[in-house]
């Protein structure tokens, strides 16, 4: 009886955690090129508080790149380490690669009481607005931080001069202890990545896409992947 019960448990776990290989043909993002921009870097630390912005930006950006690639996308990173890249260089990287969308990862700073995330698009970009709306909605589902008033428009250099739908995400405040604990936590960083993946798959920037429903997590570190999926 014990052996039978164990076999049943193994089968149930297998069903719960089985997901298709999204890198195969038919993958939602196959054929698309996405630029993931980790803000700041090198001599430019960005905002400094309980954590350093450039480090959080890179950690999240690398996870975003990994899950997008697992879903078939060709990912272009403006930086993959701790070095400085100018704003004009970031734009040139995305434009030269002919990217379909541009996603810039940042973190905010302010008074210690300031908290929450924000998603920005360029003023006149309708597809950027659509992408920002999807990302904003998905982050709100997975991240226990305040949504600071929905999507916002701005003229930030990297979303103004890129030639594709572009957004800039302020993941949280490095100057707020709770926000800092969330954005520097590896399991929540995976959740930011999954939120961006969901939104990229569903956005009207890619009108032919079917909404993404399953994630391939077998290639992710077991502990982080299990933790990240627990509330999805």
């Amino acid at each position: 009886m014990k052996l039978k019960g164990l076999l049943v448990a193994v089968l149930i776990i297998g069903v719960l955690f089985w997901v298709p290989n999204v890198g195969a043909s038919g993958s939602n993002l196959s054929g698309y090129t996405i630029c993931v921009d980790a803000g700041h870097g090198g001599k430019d630390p960005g905002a400094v508080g309980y954590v350093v912005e450039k480090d959080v930006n890179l950690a999240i950006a690398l996870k975003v790149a990994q899950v997008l690639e697992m879903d078939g996308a060709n990912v272009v990173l403006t930086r993959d380490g701790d070095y400085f890249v100018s704003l004009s260089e970031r734009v040139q990287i995305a434009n030269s690669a002919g990217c379909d969308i541009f996603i810039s990862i940042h973190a905010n700073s302010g008074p210690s009481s300031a908290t929450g995330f924000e998603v920005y698009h360029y003023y006149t970009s309708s597809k950027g607005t659509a992408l920002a709306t999807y990302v904003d909605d998905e982050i709100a589902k997975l991240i226990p931080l305040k949504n600071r008033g929905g999507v916002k428009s701005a003229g930030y250099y990297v979303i103004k001069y890129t030639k594709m739908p572009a957004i800039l995400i302020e993941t949280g405040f490095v100057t707020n202890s709770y926000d800092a604990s969330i954005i520097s936590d590896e399991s929540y960083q995976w959740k930011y990545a999954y939120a961006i993946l969901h939104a990229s798959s569903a956005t009207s920037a890619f009108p032919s896409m079917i909404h993404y429903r399953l994630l391939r997590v077998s290639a992710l570190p077991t502990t982080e992947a299990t933790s990240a999926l627990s509330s999805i």
Side-chain angles (χ1 to χ4, degrees):
M1 289 296 293
K2 289 183 178 179
L3 179 58
K4 182 178 180 181
L6 179 61
L7 289 172
V8 171
V10 170
L11 286 172
I12 291 172
I13 291 171
V15 170
L16 287 174
F17 284 91
W18 177 86
V19 288
N21 185 337
V22 298
S25 60
S27 171
N28 281 1
L29 295 177
S30 179
Y32 292 97
T33 300
I34 299 175
C35 185
V36 180
D37 173 47
H40 306 284
K43 65 182 181 181
D44 175 13
V48 178
Y50 291 94
V51 292
V52 179
E53 182 187 358
K54 68 174 182 177
D55 298 332
V56 170
N57 296 346
L58 182 61
I60 295 175
L62 292 177
K63 291 176 176 64
V64 172
Q66 187 171 343
V67 297
L68 290 173
E69 286 176 341
M70 282 165 41
D71 195 36
N74 175 41
V75 176
V76 174
L77 288 162
T78 57
R79 69 179 180 98
D80 58 4
D82 185 20
Y83 51 87
F84 178 76
V85 183
S86 71
L87 296 179
S88 60
E89 288 173 319
R90 294 169 192 268
V91 168
Q92 182 179 14
I93 289 169
N95 289 342
S96 296
C99 293
D100 294 290
I101 61 174
F102 177 92
I103 299 167
S104 188
I105 309 294
H106 284 260
N108 223 331
S109 66
S112 60
S113 58
T115 180
F117 69 89
E118 299 170 322
V119 183
Y120 289 89
H121 60 86
Y122 186 62
Y123 300 111
T124 57
S125 173
S126 59
K127 289 185 176 180
T129 302
L131 176 60
T133 300
Y134 276 104
V135 170
D136 186 79
D137 289 346
E138 294 296 334
I139 292 177
K141 293 175 186 177
L142 298 181
I143 304 298
L145 291 180
K146 177 183 177 182
N147 186 338
R148 292 172 61 86
V151 300
K152 300 180 178 181
S153 58
Y156 296 126
Y157 189 97
V158 292
I159 61 174
K160 178 178 181 180
Y161 291 106
T162 41
K163 297 178 181 178
M164 66 291 302
I167 62 170
L168 186 148
I169 305 167
E170 297 280 7
T171 55
F173 281 78
V174 301
T175 45
N176 179 284
S177 59
Y178 178 68
D179 282 31
S181 71
I182 295 296
I183 63 178
S184 62
D185 182 275
E186 196 160 16
S187 64
Y188 280 114
Q189 290 174 351
W190 283 116
K191 291 182 182 181
Y192 280 105
Y194 294 136
I196 292 168
L197 171 62
H198 292 165
S200 297
S201 302
T203 178
S204 60
F206 300 145
S208 63
M209 289 184 180
I210 299 172
H211 191 276
Y212 186 80
R213 297 188 183 279
L214 293 173
L215 300 173
R216 176 177 177 256
V217 296
S218 58
L220 297 179
T222 304
T223 301
E224 289 92 335
T226 302
S227 176
L229 284 172
S230 62
S231 66
I232 293 179

